[in-house]
Amino acid sequence: MTSDRAMIFAEPNAVTLGGPLGDAVAANRAGRLSTFVTGPGSPAIAIFDPETVAANEGGDWYGEHAGKWLYAAARSRDPALLPRVLEVADHLVSLQDADGYLGNYPPARRFMVKQPPKPFSWNGEPALRTWDIWTHAYLILGLVEAWKATGQENGDDHLLDAAARIGDLVLRTLRAGDVRITDLGNHFGLSATVLIDPACELYFATGNRDYLELATLVLDQAEADPHSAFLSAALRGDDPSAIATGKAYQLLWNLVGLAKLYRATAEPRYLDALHLIWANVRDHHLTIGGGPWGGVAHRSREVFNAPGTFHPHGYVETCSTMSWIQLNRELLGILGEAKFAQAIERSAYNDLLGAQGADGEAWCYYSFPNGKRVHTTYWRCCKSSGAIAIEELPGFAYGVAADGSVSVNLLGPSEATLDLPGIGAVKVTQTTDYPFADTIRIAVDAGGAKVALNVRIPDWAEGATLTGADGPLAPDSFFRVETSDSVLLTLPMPARLHHASSRNVQESLAPDGTPVAQEVLRHDYVAVSRGPLVYATGLIDGFKAEETIRLGLDALAADTSGDVTLTPRDRGAIRFEPYYRTGNRDDGAWRLTWLRLAPEPAA
């Protein structure tokens, strides 16, 4: 069942973002998207040349970059990039085998060929890595998006046809029964079951129910393996860290596919599972900057932390931030609830922008609330994932509901041209210095007609006011107002302190069965936010990577630049600036978000 608040998002080229998000989009197009792939000879595309493929016994995941770049560059709808998108896509299609194969593995290692049994390991990873389906999943997404950008309007379907041939090949392989989807990827198959997402995209683009069968077949085969049965695990309420290996990127991408499968089928179990796991991630597994939280004493750098874990030196993989944003995009479109847009905005303004270099080419693989900024190497997955996440932002900044109302999902300077039923083309403009300023003027140009606006009130905005609202506005909700001119949204933005604790509690049972819980370790921390922005400081006093402070009264003050000063007892003031730009976004700069609190004196 579709919610009456469901929305259709604006076309990516119908929205222009300003402010920090607009700067990030411009840098992305001038940086990563323009420099990483310049044509068929670029290294990320050359690995598909037959001579290279024939010798690629190790495989690995580097083939993902071709589809990721196609998707992000095509989604930009940038006139300077689209000719290159078509050139690269056509080159890749020219290399596609007659059976539909378009990967970079030699024949004996391809996903259609049954491989020897995998040795058991904590992450289900075989001795020879199997990322062939993963690469094809991104190629389908990239080719479909390139078709939308260059061929859909003029009836040229050759890129869509190439993507469909990949789907046909996978479906034939899985129908035959010798190879199962969970045989084809690590993390107990979750790096192959991500195919649910592109299979649904093929179904949406073609209307061919074979691709809906493919998506459900992949899910059924995942459910048949208790290690990878993420739908059942979510319905049980399992913690994300305990589903398969807890790998955040793969699990979240599978949930993106599950959300699209719900859109295609309206199967209630899918939405129930998504509600449960989304709430668990939101409540227990995000950094203060909104990205999925990992890296603390739990098997691998890129898995969800164990429940209840906090440590300021944990970190976020940029790929996980991308898939979390995409999951919230899907749920926002299906349900139209403000909390999903809130999650996107929090991630975008903090952990996403905080991973991007100012030039748009440099990216952090991992971002640390407390730690050094490290720009990653050429081939790392997160550079391409970050570029995708940036290009998602314009597309869901605004949405149109079935009743013709306009949802203002992302707050910040922007312009959008939307087609509203019964009115036609309508221009919506946000004029503001948000996220640094507390007022936003939202104007509509509809030729004098009234437009219904659903204005998002952030979850931190206690005391917000809006033209046309008689009473208090509920945080983390949409407020509906009609105007033929403009409305003014005011969002109080006091600086706030956030508290967190790193604790070790020893739990046991007394001889009579009474539960015993003894706290044996505790470190308390505080962090600063203002409005949607998380704040950080550099090395304390220019050289210390950690500081222990005692809070005083009225310790926080914001200035006209948007920076925040924290004045503890017994030491000088510490100046904070928005996390994303701390250290001038330079490689090697330190960012300290959490400051340790001095222990309370012993009783």
Side-chain angles (χ1 to χ4, degrees):
M1 180 182 297
T2 301
S3 166
D4 57 5
R5 291 176 292 182
M7 64 184 73
I8 296 174
F9 298 125
E11 289 297 317
N13 57 345
V15 178
T16 301
L17 300 180
L21 299 182
D23 292 343
V25 170
N28 194 45
R29 295 174 187 179
R32 179 66 172 177
L33 296 185
S34 291
T35 59
F36 180 60
V37 172
T38 58
S42 297
I45 308 302
I47 62 175
F48 291 86
D49 290 344
E51 300 81 8
T52 305
V53 170
N56 186 31
E57 289 292 337
D60 227 324
W61 46 266
Y62 298 117
E64 70 168 30
H65 288 292
K68 282 184 169 182
W69 181 85
L70 280 176
Y71 179 87
R75 191 156 182 79
S76 76
R77 303 300 195 266
D78 186 338
L81 288 171
L82 290 183
R84 193 186 307 171
V85 167
L86 189 57
E87 179 189 17
V88 170
D90 282 343
H91 172 73
L92 288 169
V93 171
S94 75
L95 301 176
Q96 188 173 30
D97 290 352
D99 64 359
Y101 184 84
L102 186 52
N104 60 331
Y105 280 68
R109 291 272 288 117
R110 294 178 178 176
F111 70 79
M112 305 90 79
V113 179
K114 188 173 180 63
Q115 301 295 316
K118 296 182 289 189
F120 186 83
S121 63
W122 80 266
N123 66 347
E125 187 168 287
L128 286 175
R129 288 153 75 94
T130 52
W131 292 88
D132 206 10
I133 287 288
W134 176 274
T135 292
H136 279 87
Y138 270 120
L139 284 168
I140 291 174
L141 293 176
L143 289 169
V144 170
E145 195 65 34
W147 164 73
K148 291 178 182 178
T150 66
Q152 184 176 18
E153 288 189 359
N154 60 26
D156 183 350
D157 293 341
H158 75 284
L159 298 182
L160 179 61
D161 292 342
R165 287 194 293 274
I166 297 173
D168 295 340
L169 176 60
V170 181
L171 182 56
R172 290 196 304 272
T173 301
L174 297 182
R175 275 175 174 169
D178 290 339
V179 175
R180 301 178 64 81
I181 195 70
T182 49
D183 299 332
L184 300 174
N186 64 358
H187 295 280
F188 297 118
L190 288 194
S191 60
T193 55
V194 296
L195 192 72
I196 296 169
D197 174 359
C200 287
E201 285 297 324
L202 283 174
Y203 171 64
F204 296 145
T206 66
N208 186 337
R209 296 188 67 84
D210 282 351
Y211 305 121
L212 187 56
E213 179 192 344
L214 174 58
T216 55
L217 179 58
V218 169
L219 180 61
D220 289 345
Q221 291 190 359
E223 285 294 289
D225 184 338
H227 292 102
S228 59
F230 65 89
L231 173 60
S232 297
L235 289 170
R236 286 195 305 268
D238 289 4
D239 190 83
S241 65
I243 298 176
T245 61
K247 182 70 160 62
Y249 179 13
Q250 272 86 338
L251 180 56
L252 290 170
W253 189 6
N254 275 280
L255 297 176
V256 172
L258 189 65
K260 291 183 180 181
L261 193 53
Y262 172 78
R263 219 170 3 115
T265 66
E267 168 56 53
R269 290 184 310 139
Y270 303 161
L271 191 58
D272 291 343
L274 289 163
H275 273 305
L276 287 167
I277 200 165
W278 181 90
N280 195 313
V281 173
R282 193 271 310 269
D283 294 343
H284 303 297
H285 290 283
L286 299 180
T287 67
I288 190 172
W293 184 241
V296 179
H298 189 48
R299 300 188 303 258
S300 164
R301 295 179 295 273
E302 298 162 3
V303 301
F304 284 112
N305 287 333
T309 301
F310 169 83
H311 197 283
H313 300 142
Y315 40 89
V316 176
E317 183 194 16
T318 298
C319 290
S320 304
T321 301
M322 173 198 71
S323 51
W324 174 243
I325 286 173
Q326 290 179 324
L327 175 59
N328 281 281
R329 172 201 68 197
E330 291 302 309
L331 292 173
L332 177 61
I334 293 167
L335 297 170
E337 296 178 20
K339 63 186 180 182
F340 303 118
Q342 176 68 41
I344 292 169
E345 185 170 276
R346 178 184 171 194
S347 300
Y349 274 120
N350 297 293
D351 279 335
L352 180 60
L353 293 196
Q356 185 193 39
D359 63 359
E361 165 56 28
W363 280 90
C364 299
Y365 195 143
Y366 305 117
S367 294
F368 301 81
N370 283 30
K372 186 170 70 172
R373 182 185 182 106
V374 178
H375 292 161
T376 194
T377 55
Y378 178 87
W379 284 103
R380 293 299 94 185
C381 50
C382 290
K383 292 171 77 85
S384 290
S385 292
I388 287 177
I390 292 292
E391 293 303 331
E392 298 284 20
L393 300 179
F396 47 64
Y398 295 88
V400 178
D403 64 2
S405 59
V406 174
S407 289
V408 182
N409 298 323
L410 280 184
L411 301 178
S414 61
E415 291 184 355
T417 301
L418 308 171
D419 187 22
L420 300 189
I423 299 178
V426 172
K427 184 176 180 181
V428 183
T429 305
Q430 292 185 62
T431 304
T432 180
D433 287 327
Y434 184 92
F436 310 108
D438 61 2
T439 58
I440 304 171
R441 183 166 296 280
I442 307 171
V444 299
D445 181 357
K450 277 194 170 183
V451 174
L453 296 175
N454 302 312
V455 179
R456 187 174 63 81
I457 312 303
D459 63 357
W460 44 263
E462 295 285 348
T465 62
L466 177 68
T467 305
D470 295 329
L473 301 176
D476 207 13
S477 69
F478 284 107
F479 186 87
R480 187 183 180 98
V481 62
E482 292 190 0
T483 183
S484 58
D485 183 14
S486 67
V487 296
L488 185 67
L489 175 65
T490 303
L491 302 168
M493 285 188 183
R496 301 171 186 265
L497 281 179
H498 301 261
H499 293 257
S501 299
S502 176
R503 304 170 65 227
N504 187 315
V505 178
Q506 185 187 56
E507 297 176 328
S508 59
L509 295 176
D512 64 357
T514 304
V516 177
Q518 181 185 17
E519 184 176 82
V520 296
L521 176 70
R522 181 181 183 121
H523 299 289
D524 293 321
Y525 294 86
V526 292
V528 176
S529 73
R530 181 173 180 266
L533 296 174
V534 173
Y535 281 68
T537 188
L539 292 172
I540 303 293
D541 299 330
F543 69 95
K544 290 185 288 187
E546 191 164 320
E547 178 68 298
T548 300
I549 63 171
R550 296 193 296 174
L551 292 177
L553 296 176
D554 303 317
L556 284 178
D559 61 28
T560 55
S561 72
D563 289 356
V564 174
T565 300
L566 173 66
T567 306
R569 287 186 287 159
D570 306 324
R571 67 147 292 143
I574 302 172
R575 192 172 184 83
F576 286 76
E577 61 182 319
Y579 172 81
Y580 79 87
R581 72 183 190 203
T582 302
N584 201 34
R585 304 173 88 170
D586 291 337
D587 187 32
W590 278 75
R591 295 181 286 194
L592 304 177
T593 305
W594 294 96
L595 299 186
R596 187 179 172 194
L597 288 177
E600 293 295 325

